[in-house]
Amino acid sequence: MPGGLPLQPAPPPPPQEFAETAGPTPWGYWEICYKIFGDGLYVEKVIGSAGRTDNNNAKSIHLEYIKAGGVHWKNGAQSSTSELTETFVLNCPVSRAGNYCAKLWIASGGSQHYGGEACIYVH
């Protein structure tokens, strides 16, 4: 623009984030969080995390990621700590609007037990 300031790109929108607490369960008290970076249906990256909030022993945990319509996307890494954070870079549009979730699963007694979830509506 002659005589004016150059145009600056717009800052990216803030990430969408949701955290949910779960408990008491037979496997403790937990906080599950899900953060999505992007704009509309375009997703740059997602961050899932879970942490035990009652300061008790670690468990073997993993997060399951769910796409809109309740469709399984992927399982995260199994962790033997009471804190877990993982990031997946996508840089692409998602197929449709809907709830995208991170579900906590806790291994105990040879089985996986549902520990709660955090969901974000992407549109």
Side-chain angles (χ1 to χ4, degrees):
M1 173 178 232
L5 296 174
L7 293 176
Q8 298 294 317
Q16 297 182 70
E17 183 174 11
F18 184 75
E20 182 69 60
T21 55
T25 72
W27 309 281
Y29 289 83
W30 295 85
E31 180 178 66
I32 304 98
C33 297
Y34 200 33
K35 188 183 287 191
I36 299 177
F37 294 80
D39 191 8
L41 294 178
Y42 185 84
V43 175
E44 294 172 13
K45 68 180 176 180
V46 300
I47 299 174
S49 63
R52 191 147 185 191
T53 60
D54 58 7
N55 297 319
N56 281 330
N57 298 353
K59 295 285 187 180
S60 182
I61 60 173
H62 78 275
L63 292 172
E64 175 188 12
Y65 296 91
I66 306 296
K67 300 188 290 186
V71 177
H72 172 83
W73 173 44
K74 68 174 9 183
N75 286 325
Q78 194 80 27
S79 175
S80 294
T81 67
S82 57
E83 298 283 334
L84 167 68
T85 299
E86 52 195 1
T87 302
F88 300 102
V89 177
L90 298 167
N91 288 324
C92 66
V94 294
S95 59
R96 66 182 193 182
N99 279 325
Y100 287 74
C101 303
K103 291 185 175 186
L104 173 65
W105 293 96
I106 304 162
S108 180
S111 298
Q112 295 287 329
H113 304 276
Y114 174 76
E117 64 188 75
C119 297
I120 295 173
Y121 184 76
V122 174
H123 59 286

